[in-house]
Amino acid sequence: MIDFVEGTLSYLDSEYIVIETGGIGYRLFCPNPYQFVRYEGNKTKLFTHHHVREDAILLYGFATRDERDLFRKLLDVSGIGPKGGLAILAAATPEQLVMAVQQENVTYLTKFPGIGKKTAQRIILDLKDKLVGYTPSAILTVAAGDLTAGEQAVSALNEALDALTALGYSDGELQKIRNTLSEKSKEGDGVEKLIKQGLALLMRG
Amino acid sequence: MIDFVEGTLSYLDSEYIVIETGGIGYRLFCPNPYQFVRYEGNKTKLFTHHHVREDAILLYGFATRDERDLFRKLLDVSGIGPKGGLAILAAATPEQLVMAVQQENVTYLTKFPGIGKKTAQRIILDLKDKLVGYTPSAILTVAAGDLTAGEQAVSALNEALDALTALGYSDGELQKIRNTLSEKSKEGDGVEKLIKQGLALLMRG
Amino acid sequence: MIDFVEGTLSYLDSEYIVIETGGIGYRLFCPNPYQFVRYEGNKTKLFTHHHVREDAILLYGFATRDERDLFRKLLDVSGIGPKGGLAILAAATPEQLVMAVQQENVTYLTKFPGIGKKTAQRIILDLKDKLVGYTPSAILTVAAGDLTAGEQAVSALNEALDALTALGYSDGELQKIRNTLSEKSKEGDGVEKLIKQGLALLMRG
Amino acid sequence: MIDFVEGTLSYLDSEYIVIETGGIGYRLFCPNPYQFVRYEGNKTKLFTHHHVREDAILLYGFATRDERDLFRKLLDVSGIGPKGGLAILAAATPEQLVMAVQQENVTYLTKFPGIGKKTAQRIILDLKDKLVGYTPSAILTVAAGDLTAGEQAVSALNEALDALTALGYSDGELQKIRNTLSEKSKEGDGVEKLIKQGLALLMRG
């Protein structure tokens, strides 16, 4: 439910930081709390993973959406819990981790605390496909204006197909309407319009 | 617990949007997030379904109360979960969905992703009665002033009977006091007064 | 966790009202939502029972702490859930309900929707002792200044003994220190001081 | 998730207090609510333990982080629940409790309500190691400036080793890099830098 917390960093110790907003101090467990020591007493914003169990409601905080999304991907690997995920992201940057997975570097991955050979292999097996073409958005957030018209059309088309996939349409169903949507995107239609046209095409199916 | 979230739309992707208020970014899964792209960086208000499971607390966001209430009705149909409900409401307007159910249009309903013939029939079976006389309040919110005195009396009477039904009184019990309340409503008594009179009559029962 | 919600009453229907504060609309199920119709668009404050289940987090709202506390007492009676509690408090004022229990008026209690003879008897059995000397604080909140010195001493003594009971000390343990505390209260010691003295006496025990 | 609540103390009774912030009244169960009576109507800040069960979400409030952390340590002792923890912290200051555990004073501990000999022994068994060198930070928060350079280096080194332990590195792994980090800390490197160097050393491992 909670995607980020923005407020005053009011406390920090070896496992978590506390951000205050509206009179409430929110506790955020972080890979390396001390990376935020320079914000103590000042305003800061962390992206959160809202973790709910029968006996706890916890927030895990990250400096970027990419780092938070990588943490979520690590949690999907069986054998890795929040503590393991934090330890990995404390010891490696998103880029180092993605590279180790793409290069299937088991030795590197077993250097993380609590990660044996089996779990390292499972990280590679589970995440390799999910990280294909994964380039942290720090590189990606090329100002839209810098893209050529063609690149903008492709990006809009991909975002629209992502949205339709998220709604549950299969690759097969989307394959049937891809060409039509591609034409529309080249005519300059934005993501919202492409999605509406896609849904209409699929409903006529 | 949370009925709506109002604040600045600060992030949007293929599955959800994030609305910030009071320093907290609330993540709302929506049928079609890109429908809100024009509000990015601006104030917006979505009506929410607050979904609680053992391992998650999630918010689903909708542009209108009707759409949110239809989503809740879809969740009551066995075999339809939040993802299915979002996919249906992404592809059809509330009016289209209500019409398909009232006309028992199985073919149309099976065009939604993940909805086979059986689930389509179950949607019709479970929702047909609940949607009788269902007119999205966009049409209904006729300014009270436009209703004739008689129509106002009927509307107040129905609202009062709704409230008493919600408290658990059976149709049979309400039938006994309906005429008396109907007289009172014609004399111009408002909903609050009708409910009090109804409770008093029922307690004398 | 949430004891009350104060903000603008922004929506009302037959089962609940919505109070907005800080951009969040909180949904409160109430005995009779229409009793608040005159606050629509204005500021209001309801005392809440924060109800948590595996699949839901709900707020029940009441005009006074007494009504909310009576609701909690009704929930302790086996066979009465939130819906039953709301229906009872919609049809009877706290005073009427307390009187019916103290007078063991089964006939009156069975007039509530869903309350048969057995549940009515169980309400009397479970609540009679808990409601002894129960006078809704509307009568009780006599300005402290109006109490004689003796009455203030007794009230402070009782509040201190309540607090020590809440901490888990048995009646037997409290009986041993009652006289000493009573003397202290006559000397004008306030509740906080009496509790500290009581704890010290008990630790010496 | 909630580390503290800061706002206006708006209600107090024998078991809990209510702090209002942003229109929401937060209910905090406390060891001795009346210790806060002088803040009634004024601003106050309590450190909270956010307790989540299948059927409840509760906040327990404490005047200091130490008291809250001692409460958490007591909850780890089997046989002691929140009510027992509150009763102990109502009757003893953190210093008295720590001393009783360090001196293995079973007789003193059995004076707390609901604590028999067995539970008293278990408190000693479970907490003795955890409280070694435990000095409530009221004494500890010596202004950093008052520490000699050597003491600052040791404190930074310990905080860094704490953080690495929290990430899951074993004592054995930390032992290998301790000397190198110790040298760095004498050269004046702060906690954040020591942690980064430690992680780098461990990844080279």
Side-chain angles (χ1 to χ4, degrees):
Chain A
M1 180 170 108
I2 295 183
D3 187 76
F4 66 76
V5 176
E6 187 169 23
T8 309
L9 197 155
S10 76
Y11 178 80
L12 176 148
D13 81 9
S14 61
E15 291 187 80
Y16 63 86
I17 67 172
V18 175
I19 297 183
E20 183 275 331
T21 177
I24 302 295
Y26 293 87
R27 176 168 71 158
L28 285 71
F29 291 94
C30 315
N32 176 4
Y34 288 96
Q35 65 178 301
F36 304 108
V37 72
R38 61 188 173 285
Y39 296 112
E40 221 164 352
N42 295 308
K43 206 165 177 187
T44 187
K45 174 176 176 177
L46 266 71
F47 296 95
T48 49
H49 174 68
H50 193 183
H51 193 66
V52 175
R53 290 196 319 243
E54 228 181 55
D55 62 350
I57 299 177
L58 304 170
L59 288 175
Y60 292 91
F62 304 91
T64 67
R65 280 190 193 282
D66 291 327
E67 204 184 352
R68 190 263 315 269
D69 296 345
L70 262 181
F71 177 74
R72 282 180 177 156
K73 285 188 169 79
L74 287 168
L75 291 186
D76 288 341
V77 177
S78 91
I80 296 189
K83 192 169 173 182
L86 289 185
I88 291 173
L89 291 172
T93 63
E95 292 70 22
Q96 287 170 323
L97 177 62
V98 168
M99 204 155 53
V101 169
Q102 285 168 340
Q103 295 169 353
E104 306 198 11
N105 186 341
V106 172
T107 322
Y108 178 86
L109 294 172
T110 50
K111 289 207 183 111
F112 297 127
I115 305 292
K117 205 173 164 204
K118 246 194 182 167
T119 311
Q121 288 163 333
R122 221 179 284 129
I123 293 176
I124 293 166
L125 197 67
D126 288 6
L127 296 193
K128 206 169 175 196
D129 297 344
K130 289 183 188 166
L131 296 176
V132 165
Y134 176 91
T135 350
S137 58
I139 304 153
L140 264 192
T141 41
V142 169
D146 300 355
L147 297 181
T148 65
E151 283 161 346
Q152 276 182 31
V154 168
S155 148
L157 177 64
N158 286 338
E159 278 193 66
L161 291 173
D162 268 357
L164 295 170
T165 307
L167 287 174
Y169 290 100
S170 66
D171 290 345
E173 288 172 308
L174 297 183
Q175 205 46 41
K176 284 184 211 150
I177 65 165
R178 189 186 177 94
N179 293 341
T180 319
L181 284 197
S182 179
E183 288 316 310
K184 300 276 180 188
S185 70
K186 281 168 197 151
E187 291 157 21
D189 287 356
V191 184
E192 189 190 351
K193 221 170 162 197
L194 291 175
I195 292 172
K196 276 198 180 134
Q197 289 157 347
L199 287 169
L201 288 166
L202 288 158
M203 289 308 285
R204 248 176 275 140
Chain B
M1 180 170 109
I2 295 183
D3 187 76
F4 66 76
V5 176
E6 187 169 25
T8 309
L9 197 156
S10 76
Y11 179 79
L12 178 148
D13 80 10
S14 60
E15 291 187 80
Y16 63 85
I17 67 172
V18 174
I19 296 183
E20 183 275 333
T21 177
I24 303 294
Y26 292 88
R27 176 167 70 158
L28 284 72
F29 291 93
C30 315
N32 176 3
Y34 287 96
Q35 65 177 302
F36 303 109
V37 74
R38 60 187 171 287
Y39 296 112
E40 221 165 352
N42 296 308
K43 206 166 176 185
T44 187
K45 174 177 176 177
L46 266 71
F47 296 95
T48 49
H49 174 70
H50 192 183
H51 193 68
V52 175
R53 292 195 317 245
E54 227 180 53
D55 62 351
I57 299 177
L58 304 171
L59 289 176
Y60 293 91
F62 303 91
T64 67
R65 279 190 194 281
D66 290 326
E67 204 184 352
R68 190 264 312 268
D69 295 344
L70 262 182
F71 177 74
R72 283 179 176 156
K73 285 188 168 81
L74 287 169
L75 292 187
D76 287 340
V77 178
S78 93
I80 296 188
K83 192 170 175 181
L86 288 186
I88 291 173
L89 292 171
T93 63
E95 292 70 22
Q96 287 170 323
L97 177 61
V98 167
M99 205 157 52
V101 169
Q102 285 168 340
Q103 294 170 351
E104 306 199 12
N105 186 341
V106 173
T107 322
Y108 178 85
L109 294 173
T110 49
K111 289 208 182 108
F112 298 126
I115 304 291
K117 205 173 164 204
K118 247 194 180 168
T119 310
Q121 288 163 334
R122 222 180 283 130
I123 293 175
I124 293 167
L125 198 69
D126 289 7
L127 296 193
K128 206 169 174 197
D129 297 345
K130 290 182 189 168
L131 296 178
V132 165
Y134 175 91
T135 349
S137 59
I139 304 153
L140 262 193
T141 41
V142 168
D146 299 359
L147 297 181
T148 67
E151 282 161 347
Q152 278 183 26
V154 169
S155 146
L157 176 64
N158 286 338
E159 278 193 65
L161 292 173
D162 269 357
L164 295 169
T165 308
L167 288 174
Y169 291 100
S170 66
D171 290 344
E173 288 172 308
L174 296 184
Q175 205 45 42
K176 284 182 211 151
I177 66 165
R178 189 186 177 95
N179 292 341
T180 321
L181 284 195
S182 178
E183 289 316 309
K184 299 277 180 188
S185 70
K186 283 170 196 149
E187 290 158 21
D189 287 356
V191 185
E192 189 188 354
K193 222 171 161 195
L194 291 176
I195 292 172
K196 277 201 181 130
Q197 289 156 347
L199 287 169
L201 288 166
L202 288 158
M203 288 307 285
R204 245 174 280 140
Chain C
M1 180 170 111
I2 295 184
D3 186 75
F4 66 76
V5 176
E6 186 169 24
T8 309
L9 198 156
S10 75
Y11 178 80
L12 178 150
D13 80 8
S14 60
E15 291 187 80
Y16 62 85
I17 67 172
V18 175
I19 296 182
E20 182 275 333
T21 177
I24 303 294
Y26 293 88
R27 176 167 70 157
L28 284 72
F29 291 93
C30 315
N32 176 3
Y34 288 96
Q35 67 178 300
F36 303 110
V37 74
R38 61 187 173 285
Y39 296 112
E40 219 165 351
N42 295 309
K43 205 165 177 187
T44 187
K45 173 177 177 176
L46 264 71
F47 295 94
T48 49
H49 174 69
H50 192 182
H51 193 68
V52 175
R53 290 194 319 243
E54 227 181 49
D55 61 351
I57 299 177
L58 304 171
L59 289 176
Y60 293 91
F62 303 90
T64 67
R65 280 191 193 280
D66 291 326
E67 205 185 350
R68 190 263 315 270
D69 295 345
L70 261 182
F71 177 73
R72 282 180 176 156
K73 286 190 168 78
L74 286 169
L75 292 187
D76 288 341
V77 177
S78 92
I80 297 188
K83 193 169 173 182
L86 288 186
I88 291 173
L89 291 171
T93 64
E95 292 69 21
Q96 287 170 323
L97 177 61
V98 168
M99 205 155 55
V101 169
Q102 285 168 340
Q103 295 169 352
E104 306 199 13
N105 186 342
V106 172
T107 321
Y108 178 83
L109 294 173
T110 50
K111 290 216 182 99
F112 298 127
I115 305 292
K117 203 172 165 206
K118 249 194 177 170
T119 309
Q121 289 162 335
R122 221 180 284 130
I123 292 176
I124 293 166
L125 198 69
D126 289 8
L127 295 193
K128 204 169 175 194
D129 297 343
K130 289 183 189 168
L131 295 177
V132 164
Y134 175 92
T135 349
S137 59
I139 305 151
L140 262 192
T141 42
V142 167
D146 300 358
L147 297 180
T148 66
E151 282 161 345
Q152 277 182 29
V154 168
S155 145
L157 177 64
N158 286 338
E159 276 193 66
L161 292 172
D162 268 358
L164 294 169
T165 308
L167 287 173
Y169 290 99
S170 66
D171 291 344
E173 289 171 306
L174 296 183
Q175 206 45 43
K176 286 183 212 151
I177 65 165
R178 189 187 177 92
N179 292 343
T180 320
L181 283 196
S182 178
E183 287 316 308
K184 299 277 181 187
S185 70
K186 284 171 196 146
E187 292 157 19
D189 287 356
V191 185
E192 189 187 351
K193 223 169 161 195
L194 291 175
I195 292 171
K196 277 199 180 131
Q197 289 157 348
L199 287 169
L201 288 165
L202 288 158
M203 288 308 286
R204 245 176 276 137
Chain D
M1 181 171 108
I2 295 183
D3 186 75
F4 66 76
V5 176
E6 187 169 24
T8 310
L9 197 154
S10 75
Y11 178 80
L12 176 149
D13 80 9
S14 61
E15 291 187 79
Y16 62 86
I17 67 172
V18 176
I19 296 182
E20 182 275 331
T21 178
I24 303 294
Y26 293 87
R27 176 167 71 157
L28 284 72
F29 291 93
C30 316
N32 175 4
Y34 288 97
Q35 66 178 302
F36 303 109
V37 74
R38 60 186 174 286
Y39 295 113
E40 219 164 351
N42 295 309
K43 207 166 177 187
T44 187
K45 173 176 176 177
L46 265 70
F47 296 95
T48 49
H49 174 69
H50 193 182
H51 193 67
V52 175
R53 290 196 319 244
E54 228 181 52
D55 62 351
I57 299 177
L58 304 171
L59 288 176
Y60 293 91
F62 303 91
T64 67
R65 278 190 195 282
D66 291 325
E67 204 185 349
R68 189 264 313 271
D69 295 344
L70 261 182
F71 177 74
R72 283 180 176 155
K73 286 188 168 78
L74 287 168
L75 292 186
D76 288 341
V77 177
S78 90
I80 296 189
K83 192 169 174 181
L86 289 186
I88 292 173
L89 290 171
T93 63
E95 292 71 20
Q96 288 170 323
L97 177 60
V98 168
M99 204 156 51
V101 169
Q102 286 168 340
Q103 295 169 353
E104 306 198 11
N105 186 341
V106 171
T107 321
Y108 178 84
L109 294 172
T110 50
K111 289 214 184 102
F112 298 127
I115 305 292
K117 204 173 164 208
K118 245 193 181 167
T119 310
Q121 288 163 336
R122 219 179 286 130
I123 292 176
I124 294 165
L125 198 67
D126 289 7
L127 296 194
K128 202 164 179 200
D129 297 343
K130 288 184 190 168
L131 296 177
V132 164
Y134 176 91
T135 350
S137 60
I139 305 153
L140 263 191
T141 40
V142 166
D146 301 356
L147 297 181
T148 67
E151 283 161 346
Q152 275 181 31
V154 168
S155 146
L157 176 64
N158 286 337
E159 277 193 65
L161 291 172
D162 266 358
L164 294 169
T165 307
L167 287 173
Y169 290 99
S170 67
D171 290 344
E173 288 172 306
L174 297 184
Q175 205 44 43
K176 285 182 211 152
I177 65 166
R178 189 188 177 92
N179 293 342
T180 320
L181 283 197
S182 178
E183 286 316 310
K184 300 276 181 189
S185 70
K186 283 170 197 147
E187 291 158 20
D189 287 356
V191 184
E192 189 189 350
K193 223 172 159 194
L194 291 175
I195 291 171
K196 276 199 181 132
Q197 289 156 348
L199 287 169
L201 288 166
L202 288 158
M203 288 308 286
R204 246 175 276 139

